[in-house]
Amino acid sequence: MALEITYAEVKFKDTLLPVEAKAPPEKSTPQREPCKPKLWVPWLVSALLLLLCVALIITLIVILHKGHGLPETFPEWRCALGTPGSKEQFWTCCPMGWKPFRANCYYLSSDSMSWDESEKNCTGMGSHLVVINTQAEQDFLLSWTKTIFSSRRSYFIGLSAQEVEAQWCWVDQTPYNKTATFWKPGEPSSPKTEQCTSFQVHSRTQARQNWNDVPCSTSLNRICEAAAAFI
């Protein structure tokens, strides 16, 4: 039996070929001109810096004149950045002619007078005769006084004895601590007749123990002390 071959007529519909999409024409981006600094900006920055400087100066003047220990009669001050022994940064200020140490300012006189007159002189400058509280302060004063004068010299300090009890007292009411004193060997020898204390300096000796009791009427130089000003 012969195989019959069947033919089927197949018609294909016309298919549309995809049309390639055309991108929209690129719009030309106008180039921006470089920004020009405004003329008033530098003037504004300069004015702000000037105002800041003026504010700092005014602050310094106000602080120095508000009872930080020294009166406003001093025309010139000297300030140094930093406080020895402190990690915080301050400007420590003392009058010209005074020497800073830690939080205080110190003055050495070139003239001499009695103990009472010496204390009045220091008080008139807004200070008092020096009160020595620590070994570091004693060493500082000893080293400083040796560089000022080459010969032997004695200074009144703010330690005196009461007439009746012969009890030693500091001018600022700091408690007297016998273990924190620097008397010469054998001193004080006569606290009932020699009721004031001198700080004796000799360029050839390095002895830390240099306090001596003397009559208060003795005419000596003096060391004044006042609190420094800080900003």
Side-chain angles (χ1 to χ4, degrees):
M1 181 176 181
L3 296 175
E4 293 182 1
I5 301 175
T6 303
Y7 296 90
E9 184 177 354
V10 179
K11 292 183 179 180
F12 296 93
K13 294 182 179 181
D14 295 338
T15 58
L16 295 177
L17 295 176
V19 179
E20 184 179 355
K22 295 183 180 180
E26 295 183 359
K27 295 182 180 180
S28 59
T29 304
Q31 295 182 351
R32 296 182 179 179
E33 296 183 359
C35 296
K36 296 181 180 180
K38 297 181 180 180
L39 297 178
W40 55 268
V41 172
W43 291 99
L44 178 60
V45 174
S46 300
L48 290 176
L49 291 176
L50 180 60
L51 289 175
L52 180 60
C53 293
V54 171
L56 289 175
I57 293 173
I58 294 175
T59 302
L60 173 62
I61 294 174
V62 170
I63 290 176
L64 293 180
H65 286 197
K66 276 194 174 182
H68 278 259
L70 296 170
E72 49 190 75
T73 54
F74 294 98
E76 297 182 27
W77 295 73
R78 174 176 293 176
C79 300
L81 182 61
T83 304
S86 174
K87 295 181 180 179
E88 299 182 9
Q89 293 297 314
F90 294 101
W91 285 94
T92 305
C93 302
C94 290
M96 294 292 291
W98 293 60
K99 191 173 183 65
F101 178 72
R102 301 274 173 95
N104 296 316
C105 304
Y106 299 85
Y107 172 78
L108 295 180
S109 74
S110 57
D111 60 334
S112 59
M113 54 185 64
S114 68
W115 191 93
D116 289 333
E117 292 173 335
S118 295
E119 173 59 12
K120 289 180 181 178
N121 182 270
C122 292
T123 302
M125 295 190 292
S127 61
H128 54 73
L129 283 172
V130 65
V131 175
I132 303 174
N133 298 310
T134 63
Q135 179 177 313
E137 188 176 20
Q138 170 75 6
D139 291 343
F140 156 73
L141 292 172
L142 192 58
S143 176
W144 181 34
T145 51
K146 285 183 178 180
T147 62
I148 299 297
F149 302 105
S150 57
S151 60
R152 183 170 181 171
R153 186 165 294 208
S154 295
Y155 301 86
F156 276 127
I157 64 175
L159 183 63
S160 62
Q162 296 180 358
E163 295 183 3
V164 179
E165 301 177 359
Q167 175 64 43
W168 293 97
C169 301
W170 290 104
V171 291
D172 68 345
Q173 306 306 314
T174 295
Y176 177 76
N177 183 3
K178 188 176 181 180
T179 61
T181 59
F182 302 93
W183 294 103
K184 295 174 64 176
E187 303 295 344
S189 57
S190 305
K192 291 186 178 181
T193 57
E194 299 177 343
Q195 298 172 340
C196 291
T197 308
S198 67
F199 182 95
Q200 296 185 341
V201 182
H202 198 294
S203 59
R204 296 181 180 180
T205 62
Q206 299 292 330
R208 179 180 291 140
Q209 310 297 125
N210 68 339
W211 296 3
N212 184 34
D213 57 338
V214 296
C216 296
S217 59
T218 306
S219 185
L220 299 178
N221 298 95
R222 61 196 172 278
I223 305 175
C224 300
E225 175 186 12
F230 298 97
I231 58 172

